[in-house]
Amino acid sequence: MYRRRPLDLVTLAAFCILACSPLVLVSGRPATFLQDFRVTWAESHIRQINGGGAIQLILDQNSGCGFASKSKYMFGRVSMKIKLIPGDSAGTVTAFYMNSNTDNVRDELDFEFLGNRTGQPYTVQTNVYAHGKGDREQRVNLWFDPAADFHTYTILWNHRHVVVYKNNEAKRVPYPTYQPMGVYSTLWEADDWATRGGLEKINWSKAPFYAYYKDFDIEGCPNPGPASCASNPRNWWEGTSYQELSAVEARRYRWVRMNHMIYDYCSDRSRYRMIPPECEAGI
């Protein structure tokens, strides 16, 4: 039985690229960490809490760390609650994304949370890779403190859009339609670019840095799996109410863009002399 759930409006208002989650045949989510995920690097820097119901990611001068889903998925929704590094987090990046893990023609949907000096807002950078083409960065300063408590971050991905990137393949705009993607997360050092273009460096006297995750929830079509799943129009994430933003969601999204967006590749004429086609068509 499919479970139908409302879109996560914190994520939408937080300028999300919403997506989906694992198994169509799964119920009784959220899962524990080891049910759906595996450690990809630095196992010593990932600690399970409450029997795997939550995890702690650790960044120090020796290493960051990362994990990934055991399966890939074609369309659906991925959701998890994250509490980011508090205090002076400049130079750190906590990433939550989907990736096809293919070398040349990559598909990817990104959330990258860029730390900052104490008292300055966290920035979330989003990006969409489709058919190997990326460079679609947008940045928003978060208007809430994502390190004070857990917040839900979601990626919703169906045939019509990845919120908020539309499928305009009819106008020859690439869209991630053909490759299944795994779910990934990493905590790592990126002080060469992450905070004010690399001007703010990590203060290692504040290390180790901790980020926390819980309520792992994936609903989607596992790959390998039944070929009919990804094309099934009866999947809940393909429903009419998920094919575009509602009037309320669109209004909240516009509010974020007007009040908190600090960079939009669609407006960057130093990079793009011509407006990218997806920007003209409406992201």
Side-chain angles (χ1 to χ4, degrees), residues 18-268:
L18 284 161
C20 344
S21 335
L23 263 44
V24 181
L25 300 179
V26 163
S27 59
R29 299 292 177 178
T32 61
F33 176 71
L34 288 180
Q35 279 182 265
D36 285 340
F37 296 96
R38 59 184 174 81
V39 176
T40 53
W41 58 291
E43 187 169 1
S44 63
H45 284 58
I46 296 182
R47 296 174 182 166
Q48 295 189 58
I49 303 169
N50 296 331
I55 58 170
Q56 178 193 62
L57 272 62
I58 304 167
L59 169 64
D60 58 27
Q61 285 182 282
N62 295 314
S63 182
C65 55
F67 65 89
S69 60
K70 294 177 180 178
S71 299
K72 291 183 178 182
Y73 304 92
M74 276 299 299
F75 305 112
R77 188 191 69 168
V78 176
S79 177
M80 58 184 69
K81 292 182 179 179
I82 306 174
K83 185 163 80 170
L84 298 176
I85 299 167
D88 190 343
S89 55
T92 68
V93 175
T94 307
F96 164 44
Y97 60 102
M98 298 189 73
N99 191 310
S100 61
N101 197 26
T102 44
D103 292 334
N104 298 320
V105 186
R106 174 172 44 140
D107 289 337
E108 184 171 308
L109 312 172
D110 286 340
F111 280 120
E112 292 181 308
F113 300 95
L114 313 182
N116 217 326
R117 294 266 90 102
T118 301
Q120 299 299 312
Y122 253 92
T123 298
V124 58
Q125 175 171 288
T126 61
N127 202 349
V128 175
Y129 281 79
H131 304 184
K133 171 68 171 64
D135 299 326
R136 298 184 173 96
E137 299 91 348
Q138 296 179 313
R139 290 188 179 189
V140 167
N141 279 343
L142 297 179
W143 56 97
F144 58 92
D145 184 354
D149 202 351
F150 285 94
H151 292 269
T152 302
Y153 301 94
T154 304
I155 300 175
L156 176 64
W157 171 34
N158 61 31
H159 284 83
R160 291 288 292 270
H161 64 171
V162 175
V163 180
V164 286
Y165 182 85
K166 293 180 182 178
N167 184 343
N168 280 302
E169 286 189 309
K171 298 180 180 179
R172 298 189 178 183
V173 176
Y175 185 79
T177 309
Y178 306 105
Q179 298 188 98
M181 289 189 275
V183 183
Y184 295 83
S185 189
T186 55
L187 174 59
W188 52 294
E189 169 195 356
D191 66 3
D192 58 332
W193 66 270
T195 307
R196 294 211 305 137
L199 295 178
E200 304 287 354
K201 303 300 183 182
I202 288 183
N203 182 355
W204 287 112
S205 70
K206 303 292 185 181
F209 301 100
Y210 301 112
Y212 296 86
Y213 291 68
K214 67 178 184 178
D215 292 0
F216 311 100
D217 190 3
I218 306 178
E219 295 176 84
C221 293
N223 184 278
S228 60
C229 179
S231 60
N232 188 347
R234 292 182 295 176
N235 291 332
W236 69 259
W237 52 83
E238 302 288 356
T240 302
S241 60
Y242 297 99
Q243 293 183 9
E244 61 183 7
L245 300 185
S246 69
V248 172
E249 292 163 351
R251 185 165 61 249
R252 291 178 178 177
Y253 176 62
R254 286 193 298 269
W255 178 85
V256 172
R257 291 182 62 91
M258 290 176 61
N259 294 283
H260 296 281
M261 180 172 282
I262 59 172
Y263 176 79
D264 182 3
Y265 78 102
C266 289
S267 304
D268 190 343

